[in-house]
Amino acid sequence: MHTLHQDLGVPPAINASGKMTALGGSVLSEAVITAMSEGARHHVVMADLLAATGREIARVTGTEDGCPTTGAASGVAIAVAALVAGTDLSRIEALPDPGDAPCEVILPRGHSVHFGAPIRQLIALGGGRPVEVGSANKVTKEHLSGAIGPRTAALLYVQSHHAVQKGMVSLAQTIDVGREHGIPVIVDAAAEEDLRHWPTTGADLVVYSGGKAVGGPTSGMICGSARHMEACRAQYAGIARPMKVGKETLFGLVRALRDYGADSPGGHHDRMEKLAARLAALPGITTRVVSDEAGRDIHRTELAVDPESAGRDAAQLADELAAAGVYLRDHHASTGRLYVDPRPLNPDEEEQLVGHLTTLLEGSKGHQRLESDKGPAGLEGGDL
């Protein structure tokens, strides 16, 4: 019997890249799938389910209230809209036109990232006008303070590996500036794993993905004060309407939140050390285990690719693997480095990854030996 994967011509991928939107986020647990199935079998008053899910978000994050979303990206747009329009229905319905309301959202230039879409566009969808300050590799507290004016609605801080890590103003400094000037701070912590930490920093609204570290369906959430969350939910009468969350997703998100952290495997350091030792034997590959650049408790195997010995550079190796349905973390391919993220990989998939790499690189080694045996004009050495 054909599966839908086969019928659609979209085979399952081996994901060694991470909890990536481009690869479908997370593989769901049976408990989450069961919860989504329960949600699919009945009608429900959606306003009540949104509020109930918000209470679950609040419990897990240690905040007053929460607002579920379709993802962290929509969460940023909704958070901005909540601070621009509040609960004023006329303003909500006018967005993304903010009218005369304060609408400037100040962010460090090194945080003006693109993670599949530019964060500037998400701010604009919520009625905000992005104001980048400082330089790509240098932003200070004074840059933030100097940009605040009568039309400032929020400060935005992006906690992500996509953001520049060097020379950036800290979150603590950002919150200090917000407190000094009475400006709320939004933290985009989409893929972060410690759901209670970021609200304790003093941030007013924190945005998470529900489909990445949490292991839920494609979804997201905002958490913070009851006042701000009421304003976030109010945006479902405006710009959030095309971002509405289905009942099945909400049931799955709640189940994932209830199960989150129960069986946390930690940073996978030992597992990645063993994988690094195996892959180091391949031609053209030097390995080591590295920590997550954004500070999360994640360890990955780094593959430094020597083009001469491997027969291709890192980007080409990543492309060849992708053609076989195997996806490595290739953010730094231009510098000759690829990474294996252990979180989405089950043991069978890890073996398939090793097998594909071995076939490609050992095959290149044999090809290089044949080439070295040839004389000028491509003739075999024995024909000279």
Side-chain angles (χ1 to χ4, degrees), residues 125-150:
L125 283 171
R129 185 172 78 81
V131 178
E132 298 176 12
V133 297
S135 302
N137 64 341
K138 183 66 174 179
V139 181
T140 67
K141 186 176 178 180
E142 290 70 29
H143 284 123
L144 296 180
S145 297
I148 291 176

Side-chain angles (χ1 to χ4, degrees), residues 23-215:
L23 293 173
S26 294
V27 171
L28 305 181
S29 69
E30 289 302 320
V32 170
I33 293 170
T34 299
M36 294 181 74
S37 179
E38 178 185 346
R41 287 188 168 90
H42 305 280
H43 294 287
V44 66
V45 177
M46 288 302 297
D48 293 344
L49 182 55
L50 283 169
T53 304
R55 291 192 293 272
E56 292 286 332
I57 294 168
R59 179 185 61 78
V60 172
T61 60
T63 56
E64 289 183 3
D65 201 357
C67 176
T69 67
T70 55
S74 61
V76 171
I78 292 169
V80 169
L83 295 179
V84 172
T87 56
D88 185 323
L89 185 58
S90 295
R91 290 192 181 277
I92 289 170
E93 292 180 345
L95 292 178
D97 180 359
D100 60 358
C103 62
E104 293 179 352
V105 178
I106 300 170
L107 72 161
R109 193 172 300 277
H111 287 195
S112 185
V113 296
H114 191 294
F115 46 81
I119 199 164
R120 292 174 58 94
Q121 186 173 44
L122 302 176
I123 294 169
L125 283 171
R129 185 172 78 81
V131 178
E132 298 176 12
V133 297
S135 302
N137 64 341
K138 183 66 174 179
V139 181
T140 67
K141 186 176 178 180
E142 290 70 29
H143 284 123
L144 296 180
S145 297
I148 291 176
R151 298 218 68 189
T152 304
L155 302 177
L156 174 63
Y157 189 93
V158 180
Q159 175 61 31
S160 169
H161 70 276
H162 291 293
V164 175
Q165 307 296 323
K166 178 183 177 183
M168 288 297 105
V169 62
S170 69
L171 176 56
Q173 291 172 319
T174 302
I175 290 170
D176 285 345
V177 171
R179 295 290 176 268
E180 290 169 11
H181 296 271
I183 303 296
V185 176
I186 302 170
V187 174
D188 176 0
E192 290 303 309
E193 300 191 326
D194 188 342
L195 302 183
R196 284 185 168 259
H197 168 70
W198 301 98
T200 65
T201 62
D204 297 278
L205 300 94
V206 179
V207 179
Y208 294 111
S209 170
K212 294 183 179 176
V214 174

Side-chain angles (χ1 to χ4, degrees), residues 342-355:
R343 295 171 298 161
L345 276 178
N346 64 42
D348 287 342
E349 291 171 334
E350 187 173 318
E351 288 303 314
Q352 291 179 61
L353 166 65
V354 172

Side-chain angles (χ1 to χ4, degrees), residues 178-359:
R179 295 290 176 268
E180 290 169 11
H181 296 271
I183 303 296
V185 176
I186 302 170
V187 174
D188 176 0
E192 290 303 309
E193 300 191 326
D194 188 342
L195 302 183
R196 284 185 168 259
H197 168 70
W198 301 98
T200 65
T201 62
D204 297 278
L205 300 94
V206 179
V207 179
Y208 294 111
S209 170
K212 294 183 179 176
V214 174
T218 299
S219 58
M221 52 191 171
I222 314 167
C223 60
S225 69
R227 175 173 63 89
H228 284 133
M229 294 307 102
E230 179 186 7
C232 286
R233 284 192 295 272
Q235 305 313 308
Y236 281 107
I239 64 110
R241 176 68 178 181
M243 310 171 190
K244 63 181 182 288
V245 198
K247 63 185 189 301
E248 302 84 4
T249 296
L250 293 172
F251 271 69
L253 175 60
V254 168
R255 182 73 267 166
L257 287 171
R258 290 186 174 184
D259 294 344
Y260 183 61
D263 298 305
S264 176
H268 304 273
H269 185 275
D270 291 345
R271 178 184 174 191
M272 289 294 94
E273 286 282 7
K274 292 175 182 176
L275 180 62
R278 294 179 69 187
L279 297 182
L282 296 176
I285 300 296
T286 303
T287 63
R288 62 174 181 153
V289 175
V290 298
S291 300
D292 177 65
E293 62 265 47
R296 294 170 295 176
D297 184 23
I298 303 168
H299 292 89
R300 303 184 179 96
T301 296
E302 178 187 87
L303 283 64
V305 182
D306 173 30
E308 184 175 349
S309 300
R312 73 271 286 161
D313 62 23
Q316 291 169 323
L317 179 58
D319 287 344
E320 289 180 82
L321 287 167
V326 180
Y327 295 85
L328 296 188
R329 196 173 183 87
D330 62 357
H331 301 76
H332 299 286
S334 62
T335 66
R337 293 172 291 157
L338 301 170
Y339 297 87
V340 175
D341 190 305
R343 295 171 298 161
L345 276 178
N346 64 42
D348 287 342
E349 291 171 334
E350 187 173 318
E351 288 303 314
Q352 291 179 61
L353 166 65
V354 172
H356 280 290
L357 278 167
T358 301
T359 297

